[in-house]
Amino acid sequence: GQIGLIDISHELAKEAENEPQAFFLPASRDVDDSDQQTRRNIWMSEVFGYFTLSDPRRESIEDLGLIELKYQLNTEEQQPANELFSHYNLAAEDTHAALQTLLAIMRRRKAISLPKGVDADSYAFGPITNKVAYSLNPGGRKWTHSWIPAENRINIVIDYIQRLIKCDRETALNVAEDIWRVIIPWLIKDTNGFILDHERLLLRKATERYVCRQCGFVTNYSALNCCPRLECTGSLASRPFDPSKNIIACWISKAEHPMFRELRAEEHTAQIKKDFAKIIEDRFREDEGVNLISSTTTFEMGINIGSLQKVLLRNAPPSSANYIQRVGRAGRGADKNAICVTICRRSKYDSDMWREPLRLMTGTMHTPTVFLDNKIIFQRHFNAVAFATFLRDRVLSEKAIGEVKQVTPVEVFLNLELRRGIPEAYHQKGLPDAIHLDFRQWLQNKTTGELFQTVKCMTDFESRLGFEAAKKEASDKYGRVIEGGEQELSAMIKARKKASDAGMDSLAKDLGCGIKNLLTSDIINFLAEGGFLPRYAFPLDLVRLETAETRWSNDSEVELSRSRSIAISEYAPGAQVIARKNVYTSAGLYVLGERDTPKKRWYSKCNSCGQIRIGLLQEDVSNKSCDVCQKALTRQHTHPFVIPDAFSIKIEKESRRRPQRYRADTLIRQRQGATHFIDQIADSQFEDKGLFHLALKERGNLFRYNCGPRGEGFVLCRKCGFSEPMFGHRQSGKPHPRLRAMGGLDKCDGDPWQQIAYGHKFESFCLVIRPNRPLDSAESLAYALQKGLCKMLEVETQEIGVSLRNQINNQTEIILYDQTPGGAGFVREARDKFDQVITKAIDICGSCSCEKACYDCLKDYGNQSFHDKLDRHSVRKFLIRQ
């Protein structure tokens, strides 16, 4: 027999009422206090969500091929399709299977009508929170899928048709358009396009079950044995279901009784505060409430869980060192065995590792390196030595703030006049009145002998920084960090008064806690967060995603931070992060004090060669000639950007104390952009090296930026920090949501900037390489030189960045740069020993036996986007032919 989706949902709801223990719903859906109709509506939502969305986290009964979901068509309706496909040798039976497959593509993306009582925003539909439709050419409309993709793109419909009738793309596009005209009468016209009619969908027990021989995809419909999965070249074969091969099926059918153990999972990442991470480690080690750890690289080194036996990697690690460190967490006890399972995703890199797993297990590991030539790290160590001496003089010897304690509070380093306006309850008890520790004044007249204990230290700092220059930089940086704290303190004091006057006691209390936390926080941590002092692992340029009312609130268990070059993508407005079992969605920039107020800068991009130029004003980057190709740059080539100091999630006054709603979701991330070398090097600065001209820029400027989805940029309110992608933004000319309701207001009247990019400029050692003759593949040569340098220095490839830019006459410049901001001196060695780099590159490309490129020569985890362009033969041809 057959049954419709509504009828089966009513039957399930009835069974659940009669025998509630036999059914369950996710914990986020509380139906206990609901009336009968509401419970039935929830079951309808469950059924529609179950059959209208593909979910890689579970196998539905349809995914197993046990039930067939058919879109009802009569013989007369299918006749035009039979005539269309008959030209491609498809019988009526194959045509019917192809139509059901194409209609299932629409259904599994939720392009279906919903019955009364089923809300499109129901939890059952996971991340799809709106009505979805299909259109022949949607023109960028949100929630509307394209039946025919844009130029030079491919989608699952075109891919399936191409493989089904074995044709080229142009033919597939024409056939798809003809099919669209055929199926239109079977669909329902909706606001944004066309959707399936849910009343035509009928469930029945499967009559046939087909499995792809290559990818394992299961379906009830087979047209010419063509697998429906995107870009799969496998063929379908009829195969009955074997419950013994599926543990869930065994459990449900009671064929066997597998032993299940309750999993109590916790997260262990650098995003969790150290005290919580320590508690999780202890509970996991002792098996007290935690028996499953979901971890990032924080578990890779330095942690020993003796009883750990099983490690599951959710993707292939980027290098052998990562793999060995991760699997090495297990089996460390004397009598323990270890099991490691690696799940390979459908990416190029993971697929390659799947085919040749020994690459990860037997690859080369390099000794970790220390960046002795990095001036930023040296400056921070100078700051640390100077500030430690200051604390030793004033706090330890003079006892300027009384008895020495573990924490030296920030309060005594802040402006005395500002502190006098703060209520007594927020001050740390026991501090002397009118005390101000002024590091800048103390440092002013200090000599090298007063700061450093050995001649070697004096010599090292003098040679790399210059003592007076280092003192000035330390004084200036310290002043900026302290001034930023004072501005934020002042902003919180004002916001607290506003909240108190408005009767918002809860908000006023939170702000008061923030004030107290700032004043009593440890000065060492405060200066490290501000980049004045070095931190663990020496991160140089961190940007945080703030998740609480202020960055000084202590009600959050997470500390979300990334290097700025990564943060402009991973924390950009609209992007999402999971931490401590919550999904945090970035909604703008953290703006509280004056130091947080974003400042607009400008960049231009030459349409001819792609060269980037940046400046403070639009006039700095327009109405000039390109530095590289000399083409004219006008205002149409210029775009605004902001360098972010901190991003923030949305803080709403009504939900500040309410837990976040959980929705099964796919994290929204934004793609990392390319890194551009933006300096112009005069011809006179290059030296001849045979096949190349080389120039070293020790403080070269590099730029990376994020223009958001579709490259349309972001809107950004300078007043409150609200920001979102231009794509989908519909608030032009209207008040927008305030990012944090400090004054009790939900809306902000600020006028947002339009088409803003988020950018990151940094300095590093850069080696500019100009080949003396045309290249067959600039990418291949660039990565061959990178790998040659890494092999010569015995460092990992992630230490050396690669950038390309066009020159006049279509020549290409290759830029190798130290990935660490400030530089490590690696590429300087490349300049000095370039002949050795070339020799290593030739050896890498010549000793391999692959057809074009592989992981023994040019490919690696970091250059996946160029894998199709890499060719070791073109490198040898260029380097060996004199």
Side-chain angles (χ1 to χ4, degrees):
Q2 300 181 139
I3 187 171
L5 295 184
I6 294 179
D7 292 334
I8 197 172
S9 63
H10 288 169
E11 290 297 321
L12 289 171
K14 188 188 303 181
E15 289 293 330
E17 289 178 6
N18 296 333
E19 195 177 352
Q21 298 303 319
F23 295 88
F24 69 91
L25 290 173
S28 58
R29 306 174 188 118
D30 184 6
V31 299
D32 292 342
D33 298 327
S34 305
D35 57 43
Q36 187 179 49
Q37 185 58 49
T38 300
R39 288 196 294 272
R40 289 188 176 183
N41 288 344
I42 291 174
W43 270 107
M44 272 203 299
S45 298
E46 287 292 311
V47 168
F48 272 79
Y50 187 76
F51 287 111
T52 61
L53 289 177
S54 297
D55 190 342
R57 289 159 292 199
R58 53 102 169 118
E59 286 183 300
S60 70
I61 195 169
E62 183 186 12
D63 296 326
L64 295 173
L66 301 180
I67 197 165
E68 178 183 319
L69 195 55
K70 175 182 177 183
Y71 197 75
Q72 197 170 28
L73 302 172
N74 59 44
T75 305
E76 183 179 346
E77 286 178 320
Q78 190 175 315
Q79 186 57 35
N82 290 342
E83 295 174 1
L84 171 62
F85 278 114
S86 66
H87 298 295
Y88 303 98
N89 300 318
L90 266 73
E93 184 178 348
D94 288 316
T95 298
H96 176 74
L99 290 174
Q100 293 295 335
T101 298
L102 291 168
L103 294 170
I105 290 171
M106 297 178 66
R107 167 170 58 85
R108 299 305 290 269
R109 292 195 173 183
K110 197 187 167 185
I112 183 172
S113 63
L114 298 176
K116 184 179 179 181
V118 176
D119 186 0
D121 191 31
S122 167
Y123 279 111
F125 296 114
I128 315 267
T129 58
N130 208 324
K131 292 182 178 179
V132 177
Y134 261 84
S135 177
L136 188 63
N137 294 295
R141 291 197 300 271
K142 196 174 182 181
W143 304 111
T144 305
H145 293 295
S146 176
W147 186 258
I148 293 181
E151 188 176 0
N152 298 323
R153 294 187 181 182
I154 194 148
N155 65 7
I156 189 171
V157 173
I158 300 303
D159 173 68
Y160 178 67
I161 292 173
Q162 273 190 264
R163 290 184 290 106
L164 177 67
I165 64 176
K166 296 179 175 57
C167 66
D168 57 26
R169 185 177 187 276
E170 192 62 35
T171 302
L173 290 170
N174 293 330
V175 172
E177 191 167 348
D178 291 338
I179 294 173
W180 180 256
R181 285 193 289 268
V182 168
I183 68 174
I184 282 288
W186 316 338
L187 307 178
I188 296 174
K189 181 74 171 72
D190 196 48
T191 307
N192 294 327
F194 292 87
I195 59 178
L196 300 176
D197 181 357
H198 73 268
E199 294 185 356
R200 284 185 179 235
L201 282 171
L202 296 176
L203 282 166
R204 68 176 183 180
K205 186 177 180 180
T207 55
E208 293 288 345
R209 181 179 183 273
Y210 302 92
V211 180
C212 177
R213 291 186 176 96
Q214 179 169 303
C215 71
F217 184 84
V218 180
T219 178
N220 302 116
Y221 297 100
S222 172
L224 301 183
N225 298 326
C226 181
C227 178
R229 177 167 278 166
L230 182 66
E231 297 183 344
C232 178
T233 57
S235 60
L236 299 173
S238 179
R239 188 179 299 169
F241 180 69
D242 183 357
S244 67
K245 304 296 184 183
N246 186 288
I247 190 171
I248 302 299
C250 289
W251 180 41
I252 293 173
S253 65
K254 299 181 180 178
E256 295 180 18
H257 297 283
M259 296 297 294
F260 290 99
R261 184 183 178 191
E262 180 185 3
L263 294 179
R264 301 180 297 277
E266 280 292 350
E267 173 187 349
H268 191 288
T269 71
Q271 299 174 149
I272 297 175
K273 290 184 177 178
K274 292 179 181 179
D275 51 348
F276 287 104
K278 179 64 167 57
I279 292 171
I280 291 169
E281 287 175 34
D282 292 343
R283 289 178 178 174
F284 183 58
R285 186 177 286 109
E286 303 299 328
D287 198 9
E288 294 182 358
V290 179
N291 57 18
L292 175 64
I293 287 283
S294 174
S295 173
T296 57
T297 55
T298 57
F299 244 59
E300 195 170 290
M301 289 188 291
I303 293 179
N304 182 16
I305 308 294
S307 60
L308 184 61
Q309 291 178 269
K310 299 177 183 68
V311 175
L312 174 67
L313 305 181
R314 63 177 293 271
N315 64 288
S319 71
S320 295
N322 299 121
Y323 179 80
I324 291 170
Q325 288 288 355
R326 294 175 194 184
V327 303
R329 297 306 95 200
R332 298 171 73 87
D335 59 344
K336 300 296 181 183
N337 294 320
I339 298 174
C340 176
V341 177
T342 302
I343 298 174
C344 292
R345 301 174 297 179
R346 293 177 65 85
S347 67
K348 291 181 181 179
Y349 178 81
D350 282 31
S351 297
D352 289 339
M353 293 305 106
W354 168 265
R355 285 189 287 268
E356 298 183 69
L358 286 178
R359 292 192 185 281
L360 279 178
M361 301 177 188
T362 60
T364 304
M365 291 188 294
H366 299 292
T367 304
T369 52
V370 178
F371 310 129
L372 294 179
D373 286 334
N374 190 298
K375 292 185 178 180
I376 298 176
I377 292 178
F378 250 89
Q379 180 67 56
R380 291 189 184 177
H381 278 75
F382 176 92
N383 299 348
V385 170
F387 195 71
T389 306
F390 171 67
L391 292 182
R392 192 159 50 244
D393 286 356
R394 298 299 317 278
V395 177
L396 189 61
S397 300
E398 299 178 18
K399 298 190 182 301
I401 57 174
E403 290 300 317
V404 177
K405 297 181 180 179
Q406 185 69 29
V407 172
T408 306
V410 168
E411 178 176 354
V412 295
F413 298 86
L414 301 180
N415 182 282
L416 195 58
E417 192 63 35
L418 174 63
R419 287 154 44 200
R420 286 189 178 124
I422 300 172
E424 186 64 31
Y426 299 141
H427 293 280
Q428 181 166 314
K429 295 180 180 179
L431 288 179
D433 294 334
I435 182 69
H436 178 220
L437 300 184
D438 192 340
F439 170 69
R440 299 180 73 184
Q441 184 177 357
W442 174 90
L443 180 63
Q444 191 171 357
N445 298 316
K446 292 298 174 183
T447 64
T448 55
E450 292 176 290
L451 294 184
F452 302 110
Q453 303 297 313
T454 66
V455 174
K456 184 175 185 337
C457 284
M458 298 180 197
T459 305
D460 285 345
F461 280 104
E462 182 64 48
S463 63
R464 285 177 169 83
L465 301 174
F467 183 72
E468 291 301 322
K471 274 196 348 182
K472 183 178 185 308
E473 174 60 28
S475 179
D476 292 346
K477 180 65 175 178
Y478 175 86
R480 290 194 295 270
V481 175
I482 293 296
E483 183 181 358
E486 291 171 344
Q487 290 173 355
E488 186 161 13
L489 178 62
S490 178
M492 284 195 290
I493 291 170
K494 292 176 183 177
R496 178 192 166 279
K497 186 177 186 307
K498 278 186 180 181
S500 181
D501 293 344
M504 301 177 66
D505 296 337
S506 177
L507 177 58
K509 183 178 179 181
D510 283 352
L511 289 167
C513 288
I515 294 170
K516 184 174 182 178
N517 290 336
L518 192 162
L519 292 173
T520 58
S521 63
D522 184 14
I523 187 63
I524 303 297
N525 291 335
F526 179 83
L527 293 176
E529 288 284 345
F532 177 77
L533 297 178
R535 297 177 65 187
Y536 175 73
F538 307 136
L540 298 181
D541 199 2
L542 290 181
V543 169
R544 291 182 57 166
L545 175 63
E546 301 294 349
T547 61
E549 197 74 64
T550 75
R551 60 166 61 97
W552 296 102
S553 301
N554 60 2
D555 58 350
S556 176
E557 298 175 352
V558 298
E559 290 179 339
L560 306 181
S561 61
R562 292 282 191 274
S563 66
R564 199 184 307 269
S565 62
I566 297 175
I568 59 174
S569 295
E570 290 200 3
Y571 289 167
Q576 296 177 316
V577 178
I578 288 182
R580 198 75 182 125
K581 301 181 181 179
N582 280 320
V583 177
Y584 296 98
T585 303
S586 175
L589 295 183
Y590 181 88
V591 176
L592 188 57
E594 178 61 30
R595 73 162 176 173
D596 299 318
T597 303
K599 299 171 181 61
K600 187 187 290 186
R601 294 170 171 84
W602 293 85
Y603 75 93
S604 64
K605 183 175 182 180
C606 177
N607 287 343
S608 178
C609 70
Q611 169 68 358
I612 299 286
R613 172 188 281 170
I614 66 173
L616 295 177
L617 303 174
Q618 191 173 17
E619 290 72 23
D620 296 336
V621 296
S622 64
N623 301 322
K624 297 179 181 180
S625 297
C626 173
D627 291 332
V628 174
C629 69
Q630 309 308 313
K631 296 289 181 68
L633 296 175
T634 64
R635 281 181 172 254
Q636 70 177 1
H637 299 101
T638 65
H639 311 278
F641 77 96
V642 165
I643 301 175
D645 288 325
F647 290 98
S648 174
I649 67 169
K650 178 81 168 70
I651 304 292
E652 301 180 71
K653 64 177 183 178
E654 294 90 352
S655 60
R656 287 184 302 113
R657 295 297 185 189
R658 187 185 307 161
Q660 284 187 275
R661 294 201 316 167
Y662 174 74
R663 174 185 293 280
D665 206 348
T666 299
L667 287 186
I668 299 172
R669 298 185 184 275
Q670 294 178 19
R671 187 174 297 174
Q672 293 286 338
T675 299
H676 301 267
F677 178 65
I678 60 176
D679 289 338
Q680 173 63 12
I681 309 295
D683 292 342
S684 60
Q685 294 181 264
F686 284 84
E687 58 178 309
D688 188 3
K689 286 285 187 177
L691 292 173
F692 303 94
H693 282 89
L694 306 182
L696 179 69
K697 184 83 171 178
E698 292 203 358
R699 299 191 67 176
N701 290 293
L702 297 139
F703 182 67
R704 176 178 282 180
Y705 61 100
N706 175 18
C707 289
R710 300 195 179 188
E712 296 178 9
F714 300 85
V715 294
L716 169 63
C717 176
R718 186 174 182 270
K719 187 174 182 179
C720 75
F722 161 80
S723 181
E724 68 179 8
M726 286 290 296
F727 177 65
H729 176 67
R730 298 289 183 268
Q731 296 292 325
S732 182
K734 300 178 182 179
H736 56 266
R738 186 181 292 271
L739 197 57
R740 41 179 38 80
M742 285 297 196
L745 300 175
D746 293 324
K747 299 292 183 180
C748 177
D749 57 2
D751 184 19
W753 289 332
Q754 304 284 316
Q755 298 178 329
I756 290 288
Y758 289 107
H760 169 50
K761 172 182 171 292
F762 65 98
E763 292 182 349
S764 190
F765 285 72
C766 298
L767 180 64
V768 184
I769 305 168
R770 287 183 180 174
N772 285 341
R773 59 174 182 249
L775 301 172
D776 292 335
S777 172
E779 294 85 1
S780 299
L781 180 59
Y783 285 105
L785 294 174
Q786 178 215 32
K787 290 181 180 296
L789 172 59
C790 292
K791 189 172 183 179
M792 183 187 79
L793 298 178
E794 296 186 345
V795 299
E796 301 289 349
T797 53
Q798 57 260 36
E799 303 288 2
I800 309 295
V802 177
S803 182
L804 300 168
R805 70 176 180 184
N806 295 325
Q807 290 289 299
I808 302 174
N809 300 324
N810 294 322
Q811 292 295 300
T812 301
E813 268 185 354
I814 297 170
I815 297 93
L816 301 182
Y817 61 91
D818 294 345
Q819 287 277 22
T820 305
F826 293 144
V827 299
R828 183 174 60 194
E829 290 198 52
R831 190 272 312 270
D832 297 339
K833 302 176 182 177
F834 200 67
D835 290 341
Q836 294 182 38
V837 173
I838 292 177
T839 300
K840 295 290 186 184
I842 293 173
D843 180 59
I844 288 168
C845 293
S847 61
C848 192
S849 60
C850 68
E851 182 178 352
K852 291 182 68 176
C854 70
Y855 292 89
D856 288 332
C857 53
L858 297 182
K859 289 183 179 180
D860 64 34
Y861 182 84
N863 62 18
Q864 294 179 64
S865 57
F866 296 108
H867 280 188
D868 294 339
K869 297 181 179 181
L870 299 180
D871 183 356
R872 66 185 182 88
H873 301 294
S874 71
V875 177
R876 284 179 56 79
K877 176 183 174 183
F878 181 88
L879 294 178
I880 293 177
R881 189 184 70 184
Q882 298 298 325

